[in-house]
Amino acid sequence: MKVALFVTCLVDQMWSSIGTSCVEVLRRVGCEVEFDDRQTCCGQPAFNTGYRDEARRVAQRFIEIFEDSKAQTIVSTSGSCTAMVHHFPELFSEDPRWRERAQAVAERTYELSSFLIRVLQVEDVGASWQGKLTWHDACHGLRDLNLKSEPRRLIRNVRGAEFVEIENAEACCGFGGTFSVKYPEISVAILDQKIEAIERAGVAAVVSGDASCLMQIGGRLSRKKSPVRVMHLAELLAATGKKG
C-alpha cells in the first residue's frame, strides 16, 4: 500500500526521529512511503483559539497538497493533528465544493496506530525493547479518534517490553496546546498528577502518540531529575533490541 506521511509541525521542527521511525515502521510492514516537503501546519492552533478564517486558509493549503498525492492513505504521527484533519469539513460548512474536498482528504487520513490495526490489521511489527513502560492516552486520540486498544495491542506485541497500566492513563497531561501557555499554573497542577502516577508505576519509559504530550511530560520529568524517559509510539515500534 502506498502511504503519504503527514509529519506534523512539532515532529518536523523539534523531534525528527519520530518521523523517521514512522517511515521505518511503515516500510517494515510493506508500505511504500512518500513525503511531500511542501506540507505545513494543519491549522489546529488557529482553529482551537477561534481564528477560523486563518485555520481555513491553512486547511485549504493542506488539502491542495495532499490531493496531489496518489497514495491510498495519509498517515500521521499525531492523534491531535489527525483529529484536526477530520474536522476540516466543519471549516467549510458554507462552501459545498471545499467541504467535499476536505471530506475526501479526511477520509484518507489515519493516525499511525489506527492505520496499523484498523487498516492493515497488523499487531506485531517486529519491535523489541527491554523494560517496563506505560501508555499515556493523548486527549484527541482518545476522545476524537476513539483510540484506546490500538496502541496497547501494538505495545503488548513488543518483545521484551513489560506493559504497566497507570491509574490515570486517560487523564489529560495539562498541555492542551495554547491552554498551557494561557494557564500555566493549572497546566502544571494537572501534569503533576500524571507524573505522580508514572513514578508510582516504576516504569522506565512513558509512551504516547503525540509529541506535544510527550514534550509536556518529558519536560517535567527532566526538571524533577527523573530517570523515566518519554518515547513516541513510532520510536518504540521501530526499536529492535533496545533497553529502557
Side-chain angles (χ1 to χ4, degrees):
M1 181 180 291
K2 191 170 186 179
V3 171
L5 177 67
F6 165 30
V7 75
T8 81
C9 296
L10 282 179
V11 171
D12 182 47
Q13 298 294 321
M14 306 185 72
W15 205 328
S16 61
S17 64
I18 295 174
T20 55
S21 294
C22 182
V23 171
E24 182 175 340
V25 171
L26 291 171
R27 287 176 174 166
R28 193 187 298 164
V29 296
C31 293
E32 177 187 350
V33 185
E34 66 174 30
F35 174 71
D36 192 326
D37 61 9
R38 296 177 299 162
Q39 62 183 276
T40 57
C41 182
C42 64
Q44 183 180 179
F47 181 84
N48 288 347
T49 48
Y51 293 94
R52 297 302 168 92
D53 289 340
E54 289 80 0
R56 195 173 294 111
R57 288 197 294 271
V58 176
Q60 287 175 323
R61 178 61 176 158
F62 183 101
I63 292 166
E64 289 170 341
I65 288 170
F66 281 97
E67 280 179 334
D68 287 345
S69 171
K70 304 303 180 185
Q72 296 159 274
T73 56
I74 301 162
V75 175
S76 173
T77 55
S78 165
S80 63
C81 294
T82 300
M84 180 62 215
V85 175
H86 287 197
H87 284 298
F88 278 177
E90 298 174 26
L91 288 169
F92 305 102
S93 59
E94 299 180 2
D95 189 330
R97 185 176 67 88
W98 271 104
R99 186 171 65 248
E100 182 178 351
R101 293 172 69 179
Q103 186 64 42
V105 169
E107 289 174 355
R108 294 166 57 209
T109 305
Y110 294 85
E111 180 272 343
L112 177 62
S113 71
S114 174
F115 175 70
L116 292 171
I117 295 291
R118 298 177 185 176
V119 179
L120 295 185
Q121 299 183 343
V122 171
E123 296 190 13
D124 187 341
V125 300
S128 59
W129 189 89
Q130 301 295 319
K132 295 172 76 172
L133 49 75
T134 192
W135 173 260
H136 161 67
D137 288 295
C139 291
H140 285 88
L142 177 66
R143 295 171 177 87
D144 263 12
L145 303 178
N146 299 313
L147 296 174
K148 184 171 174 65
S149 67
E150 291 83 355
R152 288 169 172 82
R153 287 159 66 182
L154 290 162
I155 290 170
R156 288 191 172 101
N157 279 290
V158 174
R159 293 161 184 79
E162 179 183 348
F163 178 70
V164 179
E165 189 78 69
I166 56 172
E167 61 216 46
N168 62 353
E170 295 186 9
C172 180
C173 68
F175 178 67
T178 55
F179 176 86
S180 62
V181 177
K182 293 180 178 179
Y183 307 102
E185 294 85 1
I186 300 174
S187 174
V188 171
I190 294 171
L191 172 60
D192 279 344
Q193 294 180 17
K194 177 73 66 174
I195 297 298
E196 289 166 7
I198 292 168
E199 291 176 333
R200 286 194 296 270
V203 296
V206 183
V207 185
S208 190
D210 264 281
S212 54
C213 295
L214 292 170
M215 289 170 65
Q216 168 89 339
I217 295 169
R220 191 64 167 163
L221 287 169
S222 176
R223 286 191 289 276
K224 295 190 70 175
K225 311 293 185 186
S226 171
V228 181
R229 62 179 290 193
V230 292
M231 189 186 316
H232 191 277
L233 179 64
E235 295 177 308
L236 175 65
L237 296 181
T240 53
K242 295 181 180 180
K243 293 183 178 181

